[in-house]
Amino acid sequence: MALSTGVITNTRDFGTASSNIVVSTRNFDLVNPVTIMLEVFASVDSSLFYTAYLTSYVVPANSFDVREFFIAGNVAYEVQLDSSSVNVLFTVCGINEFGNLVEDQRYSHSELNVIPALGPSM
């Protein structure tokens, strides 16, 4: 099942801008590792989105993974995630240049939107 944050505005006009995105993944399966596909779209002008990151990684059984992605200079972004298991929880957070959490850019698993598949947002 693919999930998306939806398009997130990332400007100081609406609070604090994020310079990085932190994606945390928790695999609750006690036996099987899980493969994660992650795609980050970003925009420097809110009209054209480009693929900033496209990566795949494995989270071992009964463990977690935390990854950070640089997005400073983009006025909007979207994080899309897909996993090979239903025993996975994601959290996506924006952090500012000082490493502080940007409160209005924090998405727990239940706040992510179900999408048909990873792909372009525009």
Side-chain angles (χ1 to χ4, degrees):
M1 170 176 33
L3 300 168
S4 171
T5 59
V7 177
I8 299 168
T9 301
N10 187 42
T11 65
R12 293 194 190 283
D13 293 343
F14 299 104
T16 303
S18 293
S19 59
N20 292 289
I21 305 165
V22 177
V23 177
S24 302
T25 307
R26 176 72 167 102
N27 181 4
F28 286 99
D29 193 309
L30 298 176
V31 177
N32 301 304
V34 63
T35 300
I36 305 300
M37 287 291 301
L38 176 140
E39 192 162 9
V40 177
F41 295 96
S43 177
V44 294
D45 63 4
S46 292
S47 64
L48 180 64
F49 278 75
Y50 66 94
T51 301
Y53 297 94
L54 176 60
T55 187
S56 176
Y57 56 96
V58 175
V59 181
N62 195 33
S63 67
F64 64 90
D65 183 274
V66 178
R67 294 181 182 246
E68 194 168 316
F69 302 92
F70 181 77
I71 51 108
N74 291 288
V75 298
Y77 67 90
E78 176 186 9
V79 179
Q80 294 182 4
L81 300 149
D82 200 359
S83 85
S84 63
S85 172
V86 296
N87 296 320
V88 173
L89 288 179
F90 297 107
T91 303
V92 178
C93 300
I95 57 174
N96 65 21
E97 65 269 26
F98 306 109
N100 299 316
L101 180 68
V102 177
E103 289 293 334
D104 59 349
Q105 294 185 23
R106 184 198 55 79
Y107 295 84
S108 67
H109 191 92
S110 64
E111 296 170 305
L112 298 172
N113 303 294
V114 176
I115 56 175
L118 297 183
S121 58
M122 302 273 170

